[in-house]
Amino acid sequence: MIYFMEKLPKQADNRVTDIHIYIPTQAYFLSGIRDFVLNLTKNMTGFSQQWAYRFQAVVDELCNNAIEHGSQVGQKIKVTLISTPDKSLEVIVEDTGTGKDKMTPEQMTTLFKERKHMVGEKYLGFRGRGLPKIVGEWTDEINFGISELGGLKVHIKKYLRKEEDKVSSVTSKDPTHLILK
Amino acid sequence: MTDVQITIEDLSGLPEGKSGKLIHVVGQLDESNVDEKAKEIYSLIERESQALTLIFDFSGLEYMNSKSIGYLTDWYSKVTASGGNVVIAAARENILDILQVVGLTQLVNTYATVDEAKLAVSQ
């Protein structure tokens, strides 16, 4: 696992911490990224411990999707964490697009919407909860795009509660950028 | 593989004609280990001929991913279809939170302690 952190000037774009992590496409490494996200969120973002655990799950699900569906064994996925303290946390997960279930941003957007409808409160299916429920319920925005690595780029954003009212009035003209709350 | 231990013990005090197991899960259930560990529970369910009660003691469970929740749902479906019951005991706040967001707490009863769960399933 490769960690790279750069501190950006707060005045430039209000991004304070921008962290890039490359993870080999093996599930073995997911516990490491979960620990990292938990500690980062607890200590550097202004989010509560409850949200730290939630982001841990969100990142785990996104990374697992990128490894299981978006990339072949022996490659790396890229995880970017952007923390704007007391304002928002963003996570970007990118795969190489070489996996068995490669999808376009448009296909992923459609799949996400379908699963949001499919997975109700008493859903008995074996799979399909990660993206619509864990990621979808615990983020404010999700955007599916194309990664420079060749595959899918999933970008999620969560605002601190005091900012959430502002988010609810935002609309997006991009069909693969969903405002969830 | 992420570390997780599953230990299983017999439950006593159940109504006649029912058998039960208390399943302690300690560690983290994730993509690296859940498929392997799930086999132990499926084996347990398949061995039982009478209505089975399963109490999952999650007091030592630190993390579970969506696939492990999928397995839990499948065990619930199989056990209840045979007249049995599945409950969760002593789950930590982050585990209850994830079970709630996926809707599993609408299906499976949760109890604050193992003793409360035992009392509930014995009635």
PDB file of all heavy atoms in Angstrom, chain A residues 35-56:
ATOM      1  N   ASP A  35      -8.727   0.910   8.615  1.00  0.00           N
ATOM      2  CA  ASP A  35      -8.111   1.504   9.809  1.00  0.00           C
ATOM      3  C   ASP A  35      -7.680   2.943   9.536  1.00  0.00           C
ATOM      4  O   ASP A  35      -7.861   3.838  10.370  1.00  0.00           O
ATOM      5  CB  ASP A  35      -6.884   0.683  10.242  1.00  0.00           C
ATOM      6  CG  ASP A  35      -7.270  -0.675  10.810  1.00  0.00           C
ATOM      7  OD1 ASP A  35      -8.458  -0.867  11.136  1.00  0.00           O
ATOM      8  OD2 ASP A  35      -6.377  -1.540  10.909  1.00  0.00           O
ATOM      9  N   PHE A  36      -7.093   3.150   8.362  1.00  0.00           N
ATOM     10  CA  PHE A  36      -6.609   4.488   8.020  1.00  0.00           C
ATOM     11  C   PHE A  36      -7.756   5.485   7.945  1.00  0.00           C
ATOM     12  O   PHE A  36      -7.688   6.588   8.495  1.00  0.00           O
ATOM     13  CB  PHE A  36      -5.860   4.423   6.677  1.00  0.00           C
ATOM     14  CG  PHE A  36      -5.255   5.733   6.276  1.00  0.00           C
ATOM     15  CD1 PHE A  36      -4.084   6.174   6.867  1.00  0.00           C
ATOM     16  CD2 PHE A  36      -5.868   6.521   5.321  1.00  0.00           C
ATOM     17  CE1 PHE A  36      -3.528   7.398   6.502  1.00  0.00           C
ATOM     18  CE2 PHE A  36      -5.327   7.742   4.957  1.00  0.00           C
ATOM     19  CZ  PHE A  36      -4.145   8.178   5.545  1.00  0.00           C
ATOM     20  N   VAL A  37      -8.828   5.105   7.267  1.00  0.00           N
ATOM     21  CA  VAL A  37      -9.982   6.009   7.115  1.00  0.00           C
ATOM     22  C   VAL A  37     -10.624   6.291   8.472  1.00  0.00           C
ATOM     23  O   VAL A  37     -11.000   7.435   8.767  1.00  0.00           O
ATOM     24  CB  VAL A  37     -11.015   5.398   6.137  1.00  0.00           C
ATOM     25  CG1 VAL A  37     -12.323   6.177   6.159  1.00  0.00           C
ATOM     26  CG2 VAL A  37     -10.440   5.358   4.730  1.00  0.00           C
ATOM     27  N   LEU A  38     -10.737   5.272   9.309  1.00  0.00           N
ATOM     28  CA  LEU A  38     -11.324   5.458  10.642  1.00  0.00           C
ATOM     29  C   LEU A  38     -10.534   6.492  11.440  1.00  0.00           C
ATOM     30  O   LEU A  38     -11.100   7.437  12.003  1.00  0.00           O
ATOM     31  CB  LEU A  38     -11.357   4.119  11.379  1.00  0.00           C
ATOM     32  CG  LEU A  38     -12.030   4.096  12.738  1.00  0.00           C
ATOM     33  CD1 LEU A  38     -13.521   4.352  12.618  1.00  0.00           C
ATOM     34  CD2 LEU A  38     -11.796   2.756  13.440  1.00  0.00           C
ATOM     35  N   ASN A  39      -9.233   6.336  11.453  1.00  0.00           N
ATOM     36  CA  ASN A  39      -8.400   7.252  12.238  1.00  0.00           C
ATOM     37  C   ASN A  39      -8.351   8.643  11.625  1.00  0.00           C
ATOM     38  O   ASN A  39      -8.391   9.642  12.340  1.00  0.00           O
ATOM     39  CB  ASN A  39      -6.985   6.674  12.385  1.00  0.00           C
ATOM     40  CG  ASN A  39      -6.977   5.498  13.344  1.00  0.00           C
ATOM     41  OD1 ASN A  39      -7.579   5.558  14.412  1.00  0.00           O
ATOM     42  ND2 ASN A  39      -6.329   4.417  12.960  1.00  0.00           N
ATOM     43  N   LEU A  40      -8.270   8.704  10.317  1.00  0.00           N
ATOM     44  CA  LEU A  40      -8.260  10.014   9.646  1.00  0.00           C
ATOM     45  C   LEU A  40      -9.537  10.780   9.959  1.00  0.00           C
ATOM     46  O   LEU A  40      -9.512  11.965  10.309  1.00  0.00           O
ATOM     47  CB  LEU A  40      -8.135   9.831   8.137  1.00  0.00           C
ATOM     48  CG  LEU A  40      -8.281  11.121   7.333  1.00  0.00           C
ATOM     49  CD1 LEU A  40      -6.936  11.802   7.169  1.00  0.00           C
ATOM     50  CD2 LEU A  40      -8.917  10.878   5.973  1.00  0.00           C
ATOM     51  N   THR A  41     -10.671  10.104   9.825  1.00  0.00           N
ATOM     52  CA  THR A  41     -11.958  10.779  10.024  1.00  0.00           C
ATOM     53  C   THR A  41     -12.127  11.223  11.472  1.00  0.00           C
ATOM     54  O   THR A  41     -12.596  12.331  11.746  1.00  0.00           O
ATOM     55  CB  THR A  41     -13.120   9.854   9.609  1.00  0.00           C
ATOM     56  OG1 THR A  41     -12.843   9.313   8.320  1.00  0.00           O
ATOM     57  CG2 THR A  41     -14.426  10.616   9.551  1.00  0.00           C
ATOM     58  N   LYS A  42     -11.712  10.352  12.401  1.00  0.00           N
ATOM     59  CA  LYS A  42     -11.831  10.703  13.822  1.00  0.00           C
ATOM     60  C   LYS A  42     -10.977  11.919  14.165  1.00  0.00           C
ATOM     61  O   LYS A  42     -11.399  12.784  14.928  1.00  0.00           O
ATOM     62  CB  LYS A  42     -11.346   9.534  14.689  1.00  0.00           C
ATOM     63  CG  LYS A  42     -12.369   8.458  14.961  1.00  0.00           C
ATOM     64  CD  LYS A  42     -11.725   7.422  15.882  1.00  0.00           C
ATOM     65  CE  LYS A  42     -12.641   6.248  16.145  1.00  0.00           C
ATOM     66  NZ  LYS A  42     -11.952   5.200  16.927  1.00  0.00           N
ATOM     67  N   ASN A  43      -9.789  11.964  13.601  1.00  0.00           N
ATOM     68  CA  ASN A  43      -8.793  12.926  14.088  1.00  0.00           C
ATOM     69  C   ASN A  43      -8.621  14.187  13.248  1.00  0.00           C
ATOM     70  O   ASN A  43      -8.083  15.170  13.735  1.00  0.00           O
ATOM     71  CB  ASN A  43      -7.427  12.226  14.202  1.00  0.00           C
ATOM     72  CG  ASN A  43      -7.473  11.068  15.175  1.00  0.00           C
ATOM     73  OD1 ASN A  43      -8.119  11.157  16.216  1.00  0.00           O
ATOM     74  ND2 ASN A  43      -6.803   9.972  14.846  1.00  0.00           N
ATOM     75  N   MET A  44      -9.055  14.164  11.992  1.00  0.00           N
ATOM     76  CA  MET A  44      -8.675  15.292  11.129  1.00  0.00           C
ATOM     77  C   MET A  44      -9.831  15.961  10.406  1.00  0.00           C
ATOM     78  O   MET A  44      -9.599  16.913   9.646  1.00  0.00           O
ATOM     79  CB  MET A  44      -7.658  14.809  10.085  1.00  0.00           C
ATOM     80  CG  MET A  44      -6.343  14.370  10.683  1.00  0.00           C
ATOM     81  SD  MET A  44      -5.179  13.842   9.414  1.00  0.00           S
ATOM     82  CE  MET A  44      -4.851  15.398   8.570  1.00  0.00           C
ATOM     83  N   THR A  45     -11.042  15.499  10.560  1.00  0.00           N
ATOM     84  CA  THR A  45     -12.102  16.015   9.685  1.00  0.00           C
ATOM     85  C   THR A  45     -13.173  16.819  10.395  1.00  0.00           C
ATOM     86  O   THR A  45     -13.910  17.570   9.751  1.00  0.00           O
ATOM     87  CB  THR A  45     -12.813  14.854   8.967  1.00  0.00           C
ATOM     88  OG1 THR A  45     -13.480  14.049   9.953  1.00  0.00           O
ATOM     89  CG2 THR A  45     -11.837  14.006   8.175  1.00  0.00           C
ATOM     90  N   GLY A  46     -13.339  16.640  11.687  1.00  0.00           N
ATOM     91  CA  GLY A  46     -14.432  17.291  12.406  1.00  0.00           C
ATOM     92  C   GLY A  46     -15.693  16.442  12.465  1.00  0.00           C
ATOM     93  O   GLY A  46     -16.661  16.802  13.126  1.00  0.00           O
ATOM     94  N   PHE A  47     -15.679  15.296  11.763  1.00  0.00           N
ATOM     95  CA  PHE A  47     -16.834  14.395  11.832  1.00  0.00           C
ATOM     96  C   PHE A  47     -16.794  13.590  13.136  1.00  0.00           C
ATOM     97  O   PHE A  47     -15.730  13.380  13.716  1.00  0.00           O
ATOM     98  CB  PHE A  47     -16.837  13.436  10.636  1.00  0.00           C
ATOM     99  CG  PHE A  47     -17.376  14.041   9.371  1.00  0.00           C
ATOM    100  CD1 PHE A  47     -16.534  14.672   8.473  1.00  0.00           C
ATOM    101  CD2 PHE A  47     -18.732  13.996   9.079  1.00  0.00           C
ATOM    102  CE1 PHE A  47     -17.024  15.239   7.309  1.00  0.00           C
ATOM    103  CE2 PHE A  47     -19.228  14.556   7.912  1.00  0.00           C
ATOM    104  CZ  PHE A  47     -18.378  15.183   7.028  1.00  0.00           C
ATOM    105  N   SER A  48     -17.959  13.114  13.560  1.00  0.00           N
ATOM    106  CA  SER A  48     -18.072  12.362  14.810  1.00  0.00           C
ATOM    107  C   SER A  48     -17.510  10.949  14.649  1.00  0.00           C
ATOM    108  O   SER A  48     -17.255  10.480  13.531  1.00  0.00           O
ATOM    109  CB  SER A  48     -19.545  12.256  15.209  1.00  0.00           C
ATOM    110  OG  SER A  48     -20.242  11.475  14.240  1.00  0.00           O
ATOM    111  N   GLN A  49     -17.394  10.260  15.787  1.00  0.00           N
ATOM    112  CA  GLN A  49     -16.930   8.865  15.742  1.00  0.00           C
ATOM    113  C   GLN A  49     -17.909   7.992  14.957  1.00  0.00           C
ATOM    114  O   GLN A  49     -17.506   7.089  14.228  1.00  0.00           O
ATOM    115  CB  GLN A  49     -16.777   8.327  17.157  1.00  0.00           C
ATOM    116  CG  GLN A  49     -16.346   6.877  17.198  1.00  0.00           C
ATOM    117  CD  GLN A  49     -15.892   6.442  18.573  1.00  0.00           C
ATOM    118  OE1 GLN A  49     -14.806   6.794  19.013  1.00  0.00           O
ATOM    119  NE2 GLN A  49     -16.743   5.707  19.265  1.00  0.00           N
ATOM    120  N   GLN A  50     -19.214   8.268  15.106  1.00  0.00           N
ATOM    121  CA  GLN A  50     -20.198   7.489  14.357  1.00  0.00           C
ATOM    122  C   GLN A  50     -19.956   7.620  12.854  1.00  0.00           C
ATOM    123  O   GLN A  50     -19.993   6.633  12.115  1.00  0.00           O
ATOM    124  CB  GLN A  50     -21.619   7.959  14.685  1.00  0.00           C
ATOM    125  CG  GLN A  50     -22.679   7.152  13.954  1.00  0.00           C
ATOM    126  CD  GLN A  50     -24.086   7.669  14.193  1.00  0.00           C
ATOM    127  OE1 GLN A  50     -24.305   8.883  14.281  1.00  0.00           O
ATOM    128  NE2 GLN A  50     -25.023   6.759  14.326  1.00  0.00           N
ATOM    129  N   TRP A  51     -19.680   8.841  12.415  1.00  0.00           N
ATOM    130  CA  TRP A  51     -19.417   9.031  10.993  1.00  0.00           C
ATOM    131  C   TRP A  51     -18.083   8.434  10.573  1.00  0.00           C
ATOM    132  O   TRP A  51     -17.914   8.006   9.420  1.00  0.00           O
ATOM    133  CB  TRP A  51     -19.512  10.516  10.612  1.00  0.00           C
ATOM    134  CG  TRP A  51     -20.938  10.884  10.369  1.00  0.00           C
ATOM    135  CD1 TRP A  51     -21.778  11.560  11.198  1.00  0.00           C
ATOM    136  CD2 TRP A  51     -21.713  10.523   9.218  1.00  0.00           C
ATOM    137  NE1 TRP A  51     -23.023  11.654  10.640  1.00  0.00           N
ATOM    138  CE2 TRP A  51     -23.018  11.037   9.429  1.00  0.00           C
ATOM    139  CE3 TRP A  51     -21.438   9.829   8.042  1.00  0.00           C
ATOM    140  CZ2 TRP A  51     -24.035  10.861   8.489  1.00  0.00           C
ATOM    141  CZ3 TRP A  51     -22.462   9.664   7.112  1.00  0.00           C
ATOM    142  CH2 TRP A  51     -23.737  10.178   7.350  1.00  0.00           C
ATOM    143  N   ALA A  52     -17.127   8.393  11.484  1.00  0.00           N
ATOM    144  CA  ALA A  52     -15.846   7.752  11.174  1.00  0.00           C
ATOM    145  C   ALA A  52     -16.068   6.278  10.835  1.00  0.00           C
ATOM    146  O   ALA A  52     -15.520   5.760   9.854  1.00  0.00           O
ATOM    147  CB  ALA A  52     -14.889   7.900  12.342  1.00  0.00           C
ATOM    148  N   TYR A  53     -16.895   5.622  11.630  1.00  0.00           N
ATOM    149  CA  TYR A  53     -17.203   4.210  11.336  1.00  0.00           C
ATOM    150  C   TYR A  53     -17.995   4.087  10.034  1.00  0.00           C
ATOM    151  O   TYR A  53     -17.817   3.132   9.272  1.00  0.00           O
ATOM    152  CB  TYR A  53     -17.990   3.586  12.497  1.00  0.00           C
ATOM    153  CG  TYR A  53     -17.119   3.199  13.668  1.00  0.00           C
ATOM    154  CD1 TYR A  53     -17.158   3.902  14.862  1.00  0.00           C
ATOM    155  CD2 TYR A  53     -16.236   2.118  13.574  1.00  0.00           C
ATOM    156  CE1 TYR A  53     -16.351   3.555  15.937  1.00  0.00           C
ATOM    157  CE2 TYR A  53     -15.428   1.762  14.639  1.00  0.00           C
ATOM    158  CZ  TYR A  53     -15.488   2.481  15.822  1.00  0.00           C
ATOM    159  OH  TYR A  53     -14.678   2.126  16.866  1.00  0.00           O
ATOM    160  N   ARG A  54     -18.871   5.043   9.794  1.00  0.00           N
ATOM    161  CA  ARG A  54     -19.654   4.990   8.549  1.00  0.00           C
ATOM    162  C   ARG A  54     -18.755   5.159   7.319  1.00  0.00           C
ATOM    163  O   ARG A  54     -18.896   4.428   6.335  1.00  0.00           O
ATOM    164  CB  ARG A  54     -20.742   6.068   8.585  1.00  0.00           C
ATOM    165  CG  ARG A  54     -21.855   5.737   9.560  1.00  0.00           C
ATOM    166  CD  ARG A  54     -22.865   6.855   9.653  1.00  0.00           C
ATOM    167  NE  ARG A  54     -24.026   6.440  10.435  1.00  0.00           N
ATOM    168  CZ  ARG A  54     -25.073   7.209  10.674  1.00  0.00           C
ATOM    169  NH1 ARG A  54     -25.129   8.436  10.198  1.00  0.00           N
ATOM    170  NH2 ARG A  54     -26.093   6.747  11.376  1.00  0.00           N
ATOM    171  N   PHE A  55     -17.833   6.111   7.384  1.00  0.00           N
ATOM    172  CA  PHE A  55     -16.928   6.306   6.245  1.00  0.00           C
ATOM    173  C   PHE A  55     -16.024   5.091   6.049  1.00  0.00           C
ATOM    174  O   PHE A  55     -15.669   4.742   4.923  1.00  0.00           O
ATOM    175  CB  PHE A  55     -16.083   7.559   6.430  1.00  0.00           C
ATOM    176  CG  PHE A  55     -16.858   8.823   6.240  1.00  0.00           C
ATOM    177  CD1 PHE A  55     -16.793   9.830   7.176  1.00  0.00           C
ATOM    178  CD2 PHE A  55     -17.676   8.999   5.142  1.00  0.00           C
ATOM    179  CE1 PHE A  55     -17.526  10.984   7.021  1.00  0.00           C
ATOM    180  CE2 PHE A  55     -18.411  10.154   4.978  1.00  0.00           C
ATOM    181  CZ  PHE A  55     -18.337  11.148   5.922  1.00  0.00           C
ATOM    182  N   GLN A  56     -15.669   4.466   7.149  1.00  0.00           N
ATOM    183  CA  GLN A  56     -14.876   3.242   7.065  1.00  0.00           C
ATOM    184  C   GLN A  56     -15.617   2.218   6.198  1.00  0.00           C
ATOM    185  O   GLN A  56     -15.033   1.586   5.311  1.00  0.00           O
ATOM    186  CB  GLN A  56     -14.665   2.700   8.482  1.00  0.00           C
ATOM    187  CG  GLN A  56     -13.883   1.424   8.564  1.00  0.00           C
ATOM    188  CD  GLN A  56     -13.898   0.842   9.966  1.00  0.00           C
ATOM    189  OE1 GLN A  56     -14.948   0.729  10.591  1.00  0.00           O
ATOM    190  NE2 GLN A  56     -12.729   0.487  10.460  1.00  0.00           N
TER     191      GLN A  56
END
